[in-house]
Amino acid sequence: MKKETTGSSDRIVHIYDRMFKKILTLSARAVIGLINGLFGTDYPPDSTITYNWTEHHDDHLKKTLADTIVTVNSSHSYHMEAQMYRDEEIEFRVFDYSYGHALKSRNDADILHFPEPRIIYLYNHENISDTREILLDFGTQGTFTYCVPVFKLLEHTTEELSSKNMVILIPFMILKLRDSIEKKRTPENMKLLQTLILDDILNVINENQALENITSADANKLRSLIQKLYNHLYSHYEEFIEGGLNDMMDEGLILEADILEAELTEKITKRVTEQVTQQVTEQVTQQVTQEVTEQVTQQVTGQVERQTREDMIRKLYAKLKDEKQVAELLEFPLDMVQEAVGL
């Protein structure tokens, strides 16, 4: 199949490319899960990730971004390239990006360390091989086969992605029904799509969030990407608009996001409250003796002064029998005098 080069297909490829790069910037825990699942590694969830955003220039001075290459624990690098349409030269692009990274990041003067590559196919297509290969011919030094393994996303189930901790690929699973829905928007297909998104996909996200394979923020971003993909792929169909599927998707995905936001707010509030309480407790422990002493002294002094003032008012009023004269003589407010003598 010839590579599509129309402006429309270029725009579509750009959409999926941006979304794929977006999921690679989720929490380190989530990205480590993807790397372990794709490459068969066993990095701990708290491993550190370094993103290699360096720009390279090819022979035609066109900028190329090696923005799908990540380094784990400052030691091993991994190159993940998502592909939406068939591209007969993708392995050359992967090699080019990997070579640029190896050249840029080399520590040993005479050694180039290439990142481990994977191509992730986001579409269904017959006869996709399990690897893409380049034969490197070094003349008299011999030949070497550069092999790029392929991961065919839509051949897997949501449960398989979850079991391998590759849940951050889950938004792209709504592509499973794209071809059939493009052909027919039957009630059966609408129901299948509704079940896929609101039951299967969202359940996987919720389960992985509960297991702490992904963070609450990750889950929220994944739901947001699902909403964007649904709007891009399906929301324009008249059958979905009239059949109410768009409304159900909005309500289901937005509700989940609202619940998540409430949970996240509660956790943040609890954490802040605990920190503030600890700080206040420490301060009170240091200041309590002084503050209590001052408060008690002020209270006792105030009570003594008030009692003395009221006794003076009563004695003078007993002689004059006129609260106004008492107020003038003592230079007290009239209402104070009246309160003291019970008027």
Side-chain angles (χ1 to χ4, degrees):
M1 178 177 177
K2 186 178 180 180
K3 179 183 176 182
E4 299 184 39
T5 57
T6 64
S8 176
S9 64
D10 287 344
R11 181 182 64 83
I12 292 173
V13 168
H14 185 61
I15 291 172
Y16 290 100
D17 185 61
R18 288 181 60 188
M19 288 188 175
F20 182 70
K21 291 175 176 60
K22 184 72 173 178
I23 69 170
L24 290 181
T25 60
L26 296 183
S27 71
R29 174 180 295 270
V31 177
I32 287 296
L34 175 63
I35 290 173
N36 285 339
L38 274 179
F39 297 93
T41 52
D42 191 25
Y43 293 110
D46 59 351
S47 299
T48 60
I49 289 180
T50 304
Y51 293 91
N52 305 283
W53 304 110
T54 307
E55 287 184 345
H56 307 301
H57 294 81
D58 61 19
D59 292 337
H60 301 287
L61 299 181
K62 292 173 62 179
K63 290 181 180 179
T64 58
L65 280 173
D67 50 4
T68 54
I69 299 177
V70 297
T71 302
V72 180
N73 295 333
S74 302
S75 57
H76 296 90
S77 295
Y78 301 89
H79 183 182
M80 293 166 280
E81 185 77 17
Q83 191 67 16
M84 188 59 202
Y85 291 105
R86 192 173 184 87
D87 181 353
E88 298 297 343
E89 297 186 349
I90 187 173
E91 61 269 32
F92 293 96
R93 187 166 68 250
V94 171
F95 179 84
D96 186 35
Y97 286 0
S98 296
Y99 171 72
H101 173 76
L103 196 62
K104 181 74 174 180
S105 61
R106 72 185 190 278
N107 294 320
D108 302 308
D110 300 324
I111 302 177
L112 292 179
H113 297 278
F114 275 62
E116 289 286 340
R118 284 293 185 280
I119 299 172
I120 303 173
Y121 280 101
L122 303 178
Y123 67 97
N124 282 316
H125 194 281
E126 296 180 356
N127 302 321
I128 296 179
S129 62
D130 293 331
T131 60
R132 301 296 296 267
E133 298 177 352
I134 301 175
L135 184 64
L136 302 177
D137 186 350
F138 295 98
T140 57
Q141 297 186 50
T143 60
F144 174 82
T145 300
Y146 176 73
C147 180
V148 183
V150 167
F151 182 79
K152 306 167 191 176
L153 177 67
L154 300 186
E155 292 185 3
H156 298 268
T157 65
T158 55
E159 290 78 12
E160 288 172 340
L161 292 183
S162 180
S163 66
K164 294 181 179 180
N165 288 338
M166 298 166 64
V167 66
I168 62 175
L169 292 177
I170 206 73
F172 297 111
M173 293 300 285
I174 73 172
L175 289 162
K176 265 184 174 290
L177 298 175
R178 185 183 65 153
D179 293 341
S180 60
I181 289 176
E182 280 183 351
K183 296 175 182 177
K184 294 181 180 180
R185 266 79 66 194
T186 63
E188 291 77 15
N189 278 342
M190 290 174 61
K191 183 61 178 178
L192 286 174
L193 182 60
Q194 178 185 342
T195 301
L196 174 64
I197 296 176
L198 297 184
D199 293 338
D200 298 345
I201 290 177
L202 287 184
N203 280 343
V204 166
I205 293 175
N206 293 338
E207 289 170 1
N208 279 269
Q209 180 186 348
L211 293 171
E212 298 185 348
N213 293 329
I214 57 175
T215 67
S216 296
D218 292 334
N220 201 21
K221 291 176 182 176
L222 290 175
R223 293 187 185 98
S224 176
L225 289 176
I226 292 169
Q227 180 76 57
K228 291 177 180 177
L229 275 174
Y230 175 84
N231 290 338
H232 168 67
L233 291 168
Y234 305 116
S235 65
H236 61 282
Y237 289 124
E238 184 176 346
E239 296 89 342
F240 289 5
I241 298 172
E242 295 179 352
L245 186 58
N246 287 355
D247 293 336
M248 282 187 281
M249 289 300 153
D250 287 341
E251 292 174 3
L253 292 170
I254 291 174
L255 177 61
E256 290 287 351
D258 288 342
I259 292 173
L260 178 63
E261 183 177 357
E263 293 176 350
L264 184 59
T265 300
E266 181 181 355
K267 289 181 180 180
I268 293 174
T269 301
K270 181 179 179 181
R271 183 178 301 175
V272 171
T273 301
E274 291 174 350
Q275 293 176 348
V276 171
T277 301
Q278 182 179 357
Q279 293 175 358
V280 170
T281 301
E282 293 175 354
Q283 294 176 357
V284 168
T285 301
Q286 296 174 357
Q287 301 176 7
V288 65
T289 303
Q290 179 181 353
E291 291 179 354
V292 169
T293 301
E294 292 177 354
Q295 290 177 1
V296 171
T297 302
Q298 291 175 0
Q299 291 176 357
V300 172
T301 301
Q303 292 175 357
V304 172
E305 290 178 349
R306 180 177 180 180
Q307 187 64 47
T308 301
R309 184 171 59 247
E310 290 179 350
D311 289 344
M312 187 186 305
I313 291 172
R314 294 190 188 99
K315 289 179 181 179
L316 188 55
Y317 180 77
K319 294 180 180 179
L320 299 178
K321 303 296 182 181
D322 188 329
E323 66 271 17
K324 292 182 179 180
Q325 289 184 10
V326 173
E328 291 176 358
L329 289 172
L330 295 178
E331 297 183 348
F332 290 158
L334 179 60
D335 58 350
M336 181 186 295
V337 174
Q338 291 173 336
E339 181 182 355
V341 298
L343 295 178

